[in-house]
Amino acid sequence: MNGTGDSTGAQAGPGSDRIMRLINGYWATGMVGTAAACDLFTHLENGAATPAALAERAGIAPRGAQALLDGLVALELVTVAEGRYHNTPEASAFLVAGRPVSLTGFARLKMGHMASLAALPDAVRAGGPVTEAVVEIADNPHWEELVQALAAQTVPVAHLAAEALGLADAGKISVLDIGGGSGVCSAVWLGLNPDARATQIDWAPVNAIARRLLAERGVGDRVDHIDGDFHSVDFGHNDHDVVMYSNIAHQEGPEDNQAIFTRARRALRPGGTLVISDYIADDDRGGPPFALTFAGEMLLKSRHGSTWRRRDYRTWLTAAGFQDVRFLDTPSPTTLVLAR
C-alpha cells in the first residue's frame, strides 16, 4: 500500500464505527419493527427467556429468534446473562403490547415506511414530495395504522397538558380538538373530567376511527364529531374553553398555521387556552435531534410542512392575538405550547 492509502485508513478508523452505525441505521428500524410484529418483547416479558422458547412462543425459526435477540441486545433493548434474555426497563415500559403507552404499533408502522426514504433525494432536489403529499389525502388507508400508532405517544403528553391546565377539576368545560386523529386527547381529558365534553374536527375516515376508539374508552357519548377539512370548517365563536392542535402544525405552512391560530383564538372563551403539541426545533435549529430529523419526513410527505422553531410559534400566536405563550418540555420528543 502507498503512503496515501495508509494515511487515509488511519484517519478514517477512529470515527468510522459511528458513521457505519448511522449509515446502517435502518437495521434498528427493521429489528425493532420485526420484534414488535412477532411480539418478542411481550413474550420476553411473559417469561420466554431463551431463543428456543421465544421461537416456539412466537412461531418463528430458532435462527430468526437468535438474530433478533442479537440485534436487540446491540440496541440496548434486551439484556443477556447466562444464555437468558430479558427486556430492559425501557423496552418493558414501551414495547410490550397492550400497555397504554406501548409503541409497538408505531415500530411496525415505521418499518413499513423504510422504502419511502428512497424518494428523499428527489424530494430534496424538488423541495417537496414528487408524488402526492401523503398527509393531505383524506381517504388514505395509512390513517388506520397511523392515528392508532400516534395515540400511544400522545397519552403521556395529554396527561401533562391536563395537569398544567387543571382540567380534572375544571368542571363543565368544552374542548375543541382540531385534526384530533384517534381522539386520544379527548379520551384522556374526558376520562379525568366527567363533566367535560369535546368536539373533534377531522376527515370522515379519521373520525370513523376516533368514534370506535373513543367508544372503547367509554367516553364516546361525550364527543361530537364534525367531518370535514379543518382549513374550512367553522370553529365557532367563544364556544370552547380549550382548543387542541396536536401533531398538525408540522404538516402545515406558516400562513396556514397562523390562520388556524387566529380562528382558534376566536373560538375560545375569555380565559381559554390553545394547546399545541408538536416536535419543535430550537430557535437556532441546533436541536433537539428528533425534531430536526423529522423535518425530512415532512419534506417527503407534505407540500409546506416542517418542524418549526419556538420563535415561529411565538410569532404566529402573537399575531393571532394571544398574549401569554408558554413552552413545556415533556419526556417525549413532543413539546407543549400553551397560549392564552
Side-chain angles (χ1 to χ4, degrees):
M1 287 188 288
N2 60 35
T4 301
D6 289 343
S7 174
T8 301
Q11 291 175 5
S16 64
D17 178 65
R18 177 174 178 275
I19 299 301
M20 285 294 289
R21 283 187 285 112
L22 290 173
I23 292 171
N24 290 288
Y26 67 97
W27 287 353
T29 304
M31 286 286 180
V32 179
T34 303
C38 296
D39 286 326
L40 246 68
F41 300 104
T42 306
H43 296 317
L44 283 168
E45 197 76 5
N46 292 332
T50 66
L54 276 170
E56 182 178 358
R57 192 82 61 89
I60 60 177
R63 184 184 178 198
Q66 185 66 67
L68 281 177
L69 287 167
D70 287 345
L72 298 173
V73 169
L75 295 172
E76 299 181 352
L77 292 172
V78 169
T79 61
V80 58
E82 298 180 354
R84 298 183 69 80
Y85 294 83
H86 301 279
N87 288 327
T88 63
E90 187 179 40
S92 180
F94 297 108
L95 290 169
V96 174
R99 295 187 172 168
V101 293
S102 174
L103 297 174
T104 52
F106 195 67
R108 294 193 297 269
L109 177 74
K110 298 311 290 185
M111 186 174 66
H113 288 179
M114 284 196 292
S116 67
L117 282 174
L120 186 57
D122 290 336
V124 168
R125 295 185 190 99
V130 294
T131 56
E132 290 182 298
V134 172
V135 301
E136 298 170 17
I137 303 172
D139 193 11
N140 191 326
H142 96 128
W143 292 123
E144 178 73 28
E145 279 190 286
L146 181 62
V147 298
Q148 294 185 75
L150 287 174
Q153 298 180 47
T154 306
V155 167
V157 177
H159 277 283
L160 286 171
E163 183 178 353
L165 296 176
L167 295 185
D169 302 316
K172 294 183 178 181
I173 60 169
S174 175
V175 175
L176 176 65
D177 197 347
I178 302 169
S182 67
V184 67
C185 289
S186 295
V188 169
W189 293 351
L190 270 57
L192 293 170
N193 182 341
D195 295 320
R197 292 193 63 88
T199 299
Q200 172 165 314
I201 299 172
D202 216 321
W203 287 318
V206 178
N207 273 342
I209 300 168
R211 286 186 180 93
R212 184 182 74 240
L213 297 177
L214 287 162
E216 290 172 1
R217 289 174 176 263
V219 297
D221 60 332
R222 289 190 283 137
V223 182
D224 298 318
H225 294 83
I226 299 175
D227 296 340
D229 187 332
F230 60 74
H231 297 94
S232 55
V233 169
D234 183 19
F235 293 174
H237 182 71
N238 287 354
D239 290 334
H240 305 286
D241 302 284
V242 180
V243 175
M244 185 67 181
Y245 191 63
S246 177
N247 293 314
I248 300 295
H250 59 242
Q251 70 186 41
E252 303 292 321
E255 294 80 8
D256 281 335
N257 277 324
Q258 183 169 321
I260 289 166
F261 295 164
T262 300
R263 294 167 59 212
R265 180 72 183 85
R266 289 197 296 266
L268 284 166
R269 293 169 180 157
T273 304
L274 170 61
V275 180
I276 302 164
S277 174
D278 219 307
Y279 312 127
I280 299 179
D282 296 338
D283 285 345
D284 64 356
R285 300 199 75 87
F290 189 96
L292 296 180
T293 306
F294 191 76
E297 177 123 337
M298 287 300 95
L299 184 70
L300 274 172
K301 296 181 178 179
S302 71
R303 289 179 298 165
H304 306 295
S306 184
T307 43
W308 305 109
R309 302 166 299 174
R310 293 187 178 217
R311 72 167 67 165
D312 296 320
Y313 285 92
R314 193 177 294 279
T315 297
W316 301 331
L317 290 164
T318 301
F322 292 94
Q323 298 179 346
D324 179 13
V325 179
R326 289 191 294 147
F327 294 87
L328 299 180
D329 293 326
T330 76
S332 76
T334 299
T335 299
L336 281 169
V337 188
L338 307 180
R340 290 187 173 92

